[in-house]
Amino acid sequence: MDLQEFLAQWHDDSPTLLVHTSGSTGSPKPMYVEKRRMQASAITTCRFLGLKEGDSALLCMPLDYIAGKMMVVRALTCGLRLIDAPPSSHPLAHASLHDQPVDFAAMVPMQVWNSLQVPDERRRLMQIHHLIIGGGAIDEALACELRSFPHHVWSTYGMTETLSHIALRRLNGPDASEWYTPFQGVTLSLTDEGCLVIQAPEVCQETLVTNDIAQLDGCRFRILGRCDNVVCSGGVKIQIEEVERLLHPHLDHPFLITKTPDTQLGEQVVLLTESNDADAVLAVCRQHLPKYWIPRRVFSVRSLPLTGTGKPARHDAELLATTLCRSQVPL
């Protein structure tokens, strides 16, 4: 979908708009959302960030997903000047941005990381007054790169059902934190299993029970992982995201943690990597992980299974790992 197609849908007579979930835990699903709720979300974000009419907003993500759609809605609703750049892994390389200041931008972690590797793009990234990052986990290496940025850099929390984010946490400056601050009007609680429950009536009519295992501290919260990303191995519960968090500072090639069935343990931890040296990767795991978190298998693959927004495609990864394990002799 391009910008003109989206604008035609936005300005038609329908009170709703078709969107699709990202597919991070399965196949993307279509859903209809009310335009008035998208406008309410846009106003909340712009008010929180202090954006004003005439500020520039960079659209550099696909309009097939809610993040891209909401950038346009924020511009339309709050009078922002939209800069339309083709979706790319290097969004700031586009010629139209060379001499154009950007007040507000939203990117996925991959776009931010790639921009940091090119001096001119890094300079433009640092000049963005309000940068929000969502659609995937921000690892420690990326967080370290962003801590010294001179302007506001935020990590977002949200999903398609909440019409983009309902909470932000600061990644740089003295207010940097692991804890998200929800927007006004958002109420949070936990299920008995520790999963986050969201009530955000301005953007979503229903109470949302997420798959995210969270910790609450007053009105703030932090995410520990997903309940469907737990490996139950020999009676030990292992959070996939926590394993990845510990390994990120020590592995140079892209990787992800997944799981497969195991006759003896019930489930086993498996690591997929784009490195050609699986033995070296396993040695790093043995050095930096608790005993029961060490992958039972490490497989080199040409490319990791990812969703359209660059997040780990967990279901596809599990299927791939299971197929690879079946061709191997057990340890």
PDB file of all heavy atoms in Angstrom, residues 227-255:
ATOM      1  N   CYS A 227       4.763 -15.313  27.460  1.00  0.00           N
ATOM      2  CA  CYS A 227       4.432 -16.603  28.079  1.00  0.00           C
ATOM      3  C   CYS A 227       4.526 -17.745  27.074  1.00  0.00           C
ATOM      4  O   CYS A 227       4.788 -18.889  27.448  1.00  0.00           O
ATOM      5  CB  CYS A 227       3.047 -16.547  28.720  1.00  0.00           C
ATOM      6  SG  CYS A 227       1.684 -16.348  27.562  1.00  0.00           S
ATOM      7  N   ASP A 228       4.328 -17.452  25.774  1.00  0.00           N
ATOM      8  CA  ASP A 228       4.455 -18.498  24.767  1.00  0.00           C
ATOM      9  C   ASP A 228       5.900 -18.663  24.303  1.00  0.00           C
ATOM     10  O   ASP A 228       6.189 -19.470  23.437  1.00  0.00           O
ATOM     11  CB  ASP A 228       3.534 -18.248  23.570  1.00  0.00           C
ATOM     12  CG  ASP A 228       3.560 -16.810  23.077  1.00  0.00           C
ATOM     13  OD1 ASP A 228       4.311 -16.006  23.653  1.00  0.00           O
ATOM     14  OD2 ASP A 228       2.824 -16.495  22.135  1.00  0.00           O
ATOM     15  N   ASN A 229       6.819 -17.883  24.891  1.00  0.00           N
ATOM     16  CA  ASN A 229       8.235 -18.027  24.596  1.00  0.00           C
ATOM     17  C   ASN A 229       8.993 -18.622  25.783  1.00  0.00           C
ATOM     18  O   ASN A 229      10.151 -18.286  26.021  1.00  0.00           O
ATOM     19  CB  ASN A 229       8.847 -16.668  24.220  1.00  0.00           C
ATOM     20  CG  ASN A 229       8.357 -16.177  22.876  1.00  0.00           C
ATOM     21  OD1 ASN A 229       7.848 -16.950  22.071  1.00  0.00           O
ATOM     22  ND2 ASN A 229       8.505 -14.896  22.632  1.00  0.00           N
ATOM     23  N   VAL A 230       8.327 -19.474  26.505  1.00  0.00           N
ATOM     24  CA  VAL A 230       8.942 -20.176  27.627  1.00  0.00           C
ATOM     25  C   VAL A 230       9.284 -21.599  27.196  1.00  0.00           C
ATOM     26  O   VAL A 230       8.452 -22.293  26.605  1.00  0.00           O
ATOM     27  CB  VAL A 230       8.001 -20.205  28.847  1.00  0.00           C
ATOM     28  CG1 VAL A 230       8.572 -21.084  29.955  1.00  0.00           C
ATOM     29  CG2 VAL A 230       7.757 -18.796  29.361  1.00  0.00           C
ATOM     30  N   VAL A 231      10.513 -22.016  27.481  1.00  0.00           N
ATOM     31  CA  VAL A 231      10.929 -23.397  27.238  1.00  0.00           C
ATOM     32  C   VAL A 231      10.862 -24.141  28.563  1.00  0.00           C
ATOM     33  O   VAL A 231      11.513 -23.739  29.540  1.00  0.00           O
ATOM     34  CB  VAL A 231      12.363 -23.455  26.676  1.00  0.00           C
ATOM     35  CG1 VAL A 231      12.726 -24.896  26.321  1.00  0.00           C
ATOM     36  CG2 VAL A 231      12.517 -22.553  25.464  1.00  0.00           C
ATOM     37  N   CYS A 232      10.074 -25.196  28.622  1.00  0.00           N
ATOM     38  CA  CYS A 232       9.986 -26.035  29.822  1.00  0.00           C
ATOM     39  C   CYS A 232      10.895 -27.249  29.609  1.00  0.00           C
ATOM     40  O   CYS A 232      10.502 -28.232  28.980  1.00  0.00           O
ATOM     41  CB  CYS A 232       8.548 -26.463  30.074  1.00  0.00           C
ATOM     42  SG  CYS A 232       7.437 -25.088  30.454  1.00  0.00           S
ATOM     43  N   SER A 233      12.115 -27.153  30.118  1.00  0.00           N
ATOM     44  CA  SER A 233      13.130 -28.165  29.843  1.00  0.00           C
ATOM     45  C   SER A 233      13.533 -28.858  31.133  1.00  0.00           C
ATOM     46  O   SER A 233      14.162 -28.256  32.008  1.00  0.00           O
ATOM     47  CB  SER A 233      14.355 -27.500  29.190  1.00  0.00           C
ATOM     48  OG  SER A 233      15.336 -28.452  28.866  1.00  0.00           O
ATOM     49  N   GLY A 234      13.141 -30.114  31.259  1.00  0.00           N
ATOM     50  CA  GLY A 234      13.483 -30.887  32.451  1.00  0.00           C
ATOM     51  C   GLY A 234      12.939 -30.281  33.722  1.00  0.00           C
ATOM     52  O   GLY A 234      13.561 -30.367  34.773  1.00  0.00           O
ATOM     53  N   GLY A 235      11.780 -29.631  33.640  1.00  0.00           N
ATOM     54  CA  GLY A 235      11.151 -29.009  34.800  1.00  0.00           C
ATOM     55  C   GLY A 235      11.613 -27.586  35.057  1.00  0.00           C
ATOM     56  O   GLY A 235      11.098 -26.919  35.958  1.00  0.00           O
ATOM     57  N   VAL A 236      12.583 -27.094  34.274  1.00  0.00           N
ATOM     58  CA  VAL A 236      13.076 -25.725  34.407  1.00  0.00           C
ATOM     59  C   VAL A 236      12.400 -24.842  33.357  1.00  0.00           C
ATOM     60  O   VAL A 236      12.401 -25.182  32.168  1.00  0.00           O
ATOM     61  CB  VAL A 236      14.612 -25.672  34.231  1.00  0.00           C
ATOM     62  CG1 VAL A 236      15.112 -24.237  34.325  1.00  0.00           C
ATOM     63  CG2 VAL A 236      15.291 -26.552  35.268  1.00  0.00           C
ATOM     64  N   LYS A 237      11.825 -23.720  33.791  1.00  0.00           N
ATOM     65  CA  LYS A 237      11.203 -22.785  32.856  1.00  0.00           C
ATOM     66  C   LYS A 237      12.219 -21.734  32.437  1.00  0.00           C
ATOM     67  O   LYS A 237      12.771 -21.015  33.273  1.00  0.00           O
ATOM     68  CB  LYS A 237       9.977 -22.127  33.490  1.00  0.00           C
ATOM     69  CG  LYS A 237       8.819 -23.093  33.697  1.00  0.00           C
ATOM     70  CD  LYS A 237       7.564 -22.375  34.169  1.00  0.00           C
ATOM     71  CE  LYS A 237       6.394 -23.342  34.281  1.00  0.00           C
ATOM     72  NZ  LYS A 237       5.150 -22.661  34.719  1.00  0.00           N
ATOM     73  N   ILE A 238      12.453 -21.656  31.138  1.00  0.00           N
ATOM     74  CA  ILE A 238      13.481 -20.772  30.582  1.00  0.00           C
ATOM     75  C   ILE A 238      12.813 -19.772  29.651  1.00  0.00           C
ATOM     76  O   ILE A 238      12.146 -20.159  28.683  1.00  0.00           O
ATOM     77  CB  ILE A 238      14.545 -21.587  29.809  1.00  0.00           C
ATOM     78  CG1 ILE A 238      15.142 -22.664  30.715  1.00  0.00           C
ATOM     79  CG2 ILE A 238      15.620 -20.677  29.233  1.00  0.00           C
ATOM     80  CD1 ILE A 238      15.897 -23.739  29.960  1.00  0.00           C
ATOM     81  N   GLN A 239      12.990 -18.479  29.929  1.00  0.00           N
ATOM     82  CA  GLN A 239      12.400 -17.424  29.109  1.00  0.00           C
ATOM     83  C   GLN A 239      13.319 -17.137  27.918  1.00  0.00           C
ATOM     84  O   GLN A 239      14.468 -16.749  28.083  1.00  0.00           O
ATOM     85  CB  GLN A 239      12.194 -16.154  29.930  1.00  0.00           C
ATOM     86  CG  GLN A 239      11.332 -15.110  29.268  1.00  0.00           C
ATOM     87  CD  GLN A 239       9.857 -15.491  29.255  1.00  0.00           C
ATOM     88  OE1 GLN A 239       9.306 -15.893  30.276  1.00  0.00           O
ATOM     89  NE2 GLN A 239       9.242 -15.370  28.092  1.00  0.00           N
ATOM     90  N   ILE A 240      12.798 -17.345  26.714  1.00  0.00           N
ATOM     91  CA  ILE A 240      13.606 -17.201  25.507  1.00  0.00           C
ATOM     92  C   ILE A 240      14.255 -15.823  25.425  1.00  0.00           C
ATOM     93  O   ILE A 240      15.449 -15.693  25.122  1.00  0.00           O
ATOM     94  CB  ILE A 240      12.747 -17.492  24.257  1.00  0.00           C
ATOM     95  CG1 ILE A 240      12.561 -19.008  24.091  1.00  0.00           C
ATOM     96  CG2 ILE A 240      13.354 -16.877  22.996  1.00  0.00           C
ATOM     97  CD1 ILE A 240      11.648 -19.405  22.956  1.00  0.00           C
ATOM     98  N   GLU A 241      13.491 -14.771  25.704  1.00  0.00           N
ATOM     99  CA  GLU A 241      14.041 -13.415  25.586  1.00  0.00           C
ATOM    100  C   GLU A 241      15.178 -13.158  26.570  1.00  0.00           C
ATOM    101  O   GLU A 241      16.107 -12.387  26.273  1.00  0.00           O
ATOM    102  CB  GLU A 241      12.946 -12.366  25.793  1.00  0.00           C
ATOM    103  CG  GLU A 241      11.883 -12.351  24.724  1.00  0.00           C
ATOM    104  CD  GLU A 241      10.699 -13.261  25.048  1.00  0.00           C
ATOM    105  OE1 GLU A 241      10.845 -14.134  25.941  1.00  0.00           O
ATOM    106  OE2 GLU A 241       9.647 -13.090  24.434  1.00  0.00           O
ATOM    107  N   GLU A 242      15.110 -13.788  27.746  1.00  0.00           N
ATOM    108  CA  GLU A 242      16.174 -13.609  28.724  1.00  0.00           C
ATOM    109  C   GLU A 242      17.469 -14.271  28.254  1.00  0.00           C
ATOM    110  O   GLU A 242      18.564 -13.742  28.462  1.00  0.00           O
ATOM    111  CB  GLU A 242      15.751 -14.186  30.078  1.00  0.00           C
ATOM    112  CG  GLU A 242      14.770 -13.311  30.841  1.00  0.00           C
ATOM    113  CD  GLU A 242      15.391 -11.987  31.240  1.00  0.00           C
ATOM    114  OE1 GLU A 242      16.305 -11.982  32.087  1.00  0.00           O
ATOM    115  OE2 GLU A 242      14.983 -10.949  30.693  1.00  0.00           O
ATOM    116  N   VAL A 243      17.362 -15.431  27.606  1.00  0.00           N
ATOM    117  CA  VAL A 243      18.546 -16.080  27.041  1.00  0.00           C
ATOM    118  C   VAL A 243      19.159 -15.187  25.965  1.00  0.00           C
ATOM    119  O   VAL A 243      20.377 -14.966  25.925  1.00  0.00           O
ATOM    120  CB  VAL A 243      18.184 -17.459  26.456  1.00  0.00           C
ATOM    121  CG1 VAL A 243      19.442 -18.144  25.906  1.00  0.00           C
ATOM    122  CG2 VAL A 243      17.533 -18.346  27.510  1.00  0.00           C
ATOM    123  N   GLU A 244      18.312 -14.647  25.088  1.00  0.00           N
ATOM    124  CA  GLU A 244      18.799 -13.772  24.018  1.00  0.00           C
ATOM    125  C   GLU A 244      19.450 -12.511  24.592  1.00  0.00           C
ATOM    126  O   GLU A 244      20.483 -12.049  24.083  1.00  0.00           O
ATOM    127  CB  GLU A 244      17.650 -13.408  23.079  1.00  0.00           C
ATOM    128  CG  GLU A 244      17.137 -14.598  22.273  1.00  0.00           C
ATOM    129  CD  GLU A 244      15.917 -14.287  21.443  1.00  0.00           C
ATOM    130  OE1 GLU A 244      15.219 -13.286  21.742  1.00  0.00           O
ATOM    131  OE2 GLU A 244      15.628 -15.047  20.495  1.00  0.00           O
ATOM    132  N   ARG A 245      18.864 -11.970  25.644  1.00  0.00           N
ATOM    133  CA  ARG A 245      19.410 -10.757  26.254  1.00  0.00           C
ATOM    134  C   ARG A 245      20.830 -10.984  26.778  1.00  0.00           C
ATOM    135  O   ARG A 245      21.714 -10.132  26.625  1.00  0.00           O
ATOM    136  CB  ARG A 245      18.496 -10.286  27.388  1.00  0.00           C
ATOM    137  CG  ARG A 245      18.950  -8.990  28.058  1.00  0.00           C
ATOM    138  CD  ARG A 245      18.046  -8.633  29.213  1.00  0.00           C
ATOM    139  NE  ARG A 245      18.080  -9.624  30.275  1.00  0.00           N
ATOM    140  CZ  ARG A 245      19.030  -9.693  31.201  1.00  0.00           C
ATOM    141  NH1 ARG A 245      20.024  -8.823  31.201  1.00  0.00           N
ATOM    142  NH2 ARG A 245      18.992 -10.632  32.136  1.00  0.00           N
ATOM    143  N   LEU A 246      21.061 -12.145  27.398  1.00  0.00           N
ATOM    144  CA  LEU A 246      22.386 -12.440  27.932  1.00  0.00           C
ATOM    145  C   LEU A 246      23.426 -12.677  26.828  1.00  0.00           C
ATOM    146  O   LEU A 246      24.609 -12.382  27.004  1.00  0.00           O
ATOM    147  CB  LEU A 246      22.320 -13.675  28.839  1.00  0.00           C
ATOM    148  CG  LEU A 246      21.624 -13.497  30.195  1.00  0.00           C
ATOM    149  CD1 LEU A 246      21.638 -14.805  30.960  1.00  0.00           C
ATOM    150  CD2 LEU A 246      22.283 -12.399  31.015  1.00  0.00           C
ATOM    151  N   LEU A 247      22.975 -13.187  25.687  1.00  0.00           N
ATOM    152  CA  LEU A 247      23.911 -13.528  24.619  1.00  0.00           C
ATOM    153  C   LEU A 247      24.226 -12.367  23.683  1.00  0.00           C
ATOM    154  O   LEU A 247      25.288 -12.340  23.047  1.00  0.00           O
ATOM    155  CB  LEU A 247      23.371 -14.707  23.802  1.00  0.00           C
ATOM    156  CG  LEU A 247      23.348 -16.067  24.497  1.00  0.00           C
ATOM    157  CD1 LEU A 247      22.704 -17.103  23.599  1.00  0.00           C
ATOM    158  CD2 LEU A 247      24.755 -16.503  24.892  1.00  0.00           C
ATOM    159  N   HIS A 248      23.320 -11.404  23.577  1.00  0.00           N
ATOM    160  CA  HIS A 248      23.497 -10.321  22.596  1.00  0.00           C
ATOM    161  C   HIS A 248      24.851  -9.606  22.702  1.00  0.00           C
ATOM    162  O   HIS A 248      25.476  -9.318  21.673  1.00  0.00           O
ATOM    163  CB  HIS A 248      22.356  -9.312  22.699  1.00  0.00           C
ATOM    164  CG  HIS A 248      21.187  -9.643  21.814  1.00  0.00           C
ATOM    165  ND1 HIS A 248      21.288  -9.770  20.447  1.00  0.00           N
ATOM    166  CD2 HIS A 248      19.883  -9.877  22.113  1.00  0.00           C
ATOM    167  CE1 HIS A 248      20.123 -10.074  19.938  1.00  0.00           C
ATOM    168  NE2 HIS A 248      19.247 -10.149  20.906  1.00  0.00           N
ATOM    169  N   PRO A 249      25.348  -9.315  23.897  1.00  0.00           N
ATOM    170  CA  PRO A 249      26.634  -8.609  23.947  1.00  0.00           C
ATOM    171  C   PRO A 249      27.826  -9.446  23.484  1.00  0.00           C
ATOM    172  O   PRO A 249      28.904  -8.896  23.253  1.00  0.00           O
ATOM    173  CB  PRO A 249      26.778  -8.261  25.440  1.00  0.00           C
ATOM    174  CG  PRO A 249      25.415  -8.358  26.014  1.00  0.00           C
ATOM    175  CD  PRO A 249      24.746  -9.438  25.235  1.00  0.00           C
ATOM    176  N   HIS A 250      27.635 -10.759  23.309  1.00  0.00           N
ATOM    177  CA  HIS A 250      28.776 -11.642  23.088  1.00  0.00           C
ATOM    178  C   HIS A 250      28.774 -12.318  21.713  1.00  0.00           C
ATOM    179  O   HIS A 250      29.762 -12.960  21.351  1.00  0.00           O
ATOM    180  CB  HIS A 250      28.813 -12.720  24.169  1.00  0.00           C
ATOM    181  CG  HIS A 250      28.736 -12.183  25.570  1.00  0.00           C
ATOM    182  ND1 HIS A 250      29.761 -11.467  26.140  1.00  0.00           N
ATOM    183  CD2 HIS A 250      27.730 -12.221  26.491  1.00  0.00           C
ATOM    184  CE1 HIS A 250      29.411 -11.095  27.360  1.00  0.00           C
ATOM    185  NE2 HIS A 250      28.186 -11.544  27.592  1.00  0.00           N
ATOM    186  N   LEU A 251      27.689 -12.200  20.950  1.00  0.00           N
ATOM    187  CA  LEU A 251      27.608 -12.835  19.633  1.00  0.00           C
ATOM    188  C   LEU A 251      27.544 -11.770  18.549  1.00  0.00           C
ATOM    189  O   LEU A 251      26.730 -10.849  18.616  1.00  0.00           O
ATOM    190  CB  LEU A 251      26.372 -13.747  19.555  1.00  0.00           C
ATOM    191  CG  LEU A 251      26.402 -14.974  20.465  1.00  0.00           C
ATOM    192  CD1 LEU A 251      25.101 -15.769  20.333  1.00  0.00           C
ATOM    193  CD2 LEU A 251      27.598 -15.865  20.139  1.00  0.00           C
ATOM    194  N   ASP A 252      28.414 -11.906  17.545  1.00  0.00           N
ATOM    195  CA  ASP A 252      28.524 -10.894  16.498  1.00  0.00           C
ATOM    196  C   ASP A 252      27.535 -11.098  15.360  1.00  0.00           C
ATOM    197  O   ASP A 252      27.197 -10.153  14.657  1.00  0.00           O
ATOM    198  CB  ASP A 252      29.948 -10.891  15.920  1.00  0.00           C
ATOM    199  CG  ASP A 252      30.983 -10.493  16.954  1.00  0.00           C
ATOM    200  OD1 ASP A 252      30.648  -9.691  17.847  1.00  0.00           O
ATOM    201  OD2 ASP A 252      32.123 -10.998  16.879  1.00  0.00           O
ATOM    202  N   HIS A 253      27.090 -12.329  15.139  1.00  0.00           N
ATOM    203  CA  HIS A 253      26.193 -12.617  14.031  1.00  0.00           C
ATOM    204  C   HIS A 253      24.737 -12.676  14.521  1.00  0.00           C
ATOM    205  O   HIS A 253      24.480 -13.020  15.685  1.00  0.00           O
ATOM    206  CB  HIS A 253      26.559 -13.948  13.369  1.00  0.00           C
ATOM    207  CG  HIS A 253      27.876 -13.918  12.657  1.00  0.00           C
ATOM    208  ND1 HIS A 253      29.076 -14.085  13.319  1.00  0.00           N
ATOM    209  CD2 HIS A 253      28.188 -13.733  11.345  1.00  0.00           C
ATOM    210  CE1 HIS A 253      30.071 -14.017  12.442  1.00  0.00           C
ATOM    211  NE2 HIS A 253      29.560 -13.792  11.250  1.00  0.00           N
ATOM    212  N   PRO A 254      23.790 -12.374  13.641  1.00  0.00           N
ATOM    213  CA  PRO A 254      22.367 -12.479  14.030  1.00  0.00           C
ATOM    214  C   PRO A 254      22.033 -13.892  14.497  1.00  0.00           C
ATOM    215  O   PRO A 254      22.501 -14.883  13.932  1.00  0.00           O
ATOM    216  CB  PRO A 254      21.617 -12.129  12.734  1.00  0.00           C
ATOM    217  CG  PRO A 254      22.581 -11.292  11.955  1.00  0.00           C
ATOM    218  CD  PRO A 254      23.936 -11.855  12.266  1.00  0.00           C
ATOM    219  N   PHE A 255      21.200 -13.972  15.548  1.00  0.00           N
ATOM    220  CA  PHE A 255      20.799 -15.271  16.080  1.00  0.00           C
ATOM    221  C   PHE A 255      19.439 -15.128  16.742  1.00  0.00           C
ATOM    222  O   PHE A 255      18.960 -14.021  16.998  1.00  0.00           O
ATOM    223  CB  PHE A 255      21.823 -15.775  17.115  1.00  0.00           C
ATOM    224  CG  PHE A 255      21.741 -15.058  18.437  1.00  0.00           C
ATOM    225  CD1 PHE A 255      20.990 -15.579  19.482  1.00  0.00           C
ATOM    226  CD2 PHE A 255      22.384 -13.835  18.629  1.00  0.00           C
ATOM    227  CE1 PHE A 255      20.890 -14.914  20.700  1.00  0.00           C
ATOM    228  CE2 PHE A 255      22.291 -13.159  19.821  1.00  0.00           C
ATOM    229  CZ  PHE A 255      21.545 -13.691  20.867  1.00  0.00           C
TER     230      PHE A 255
END
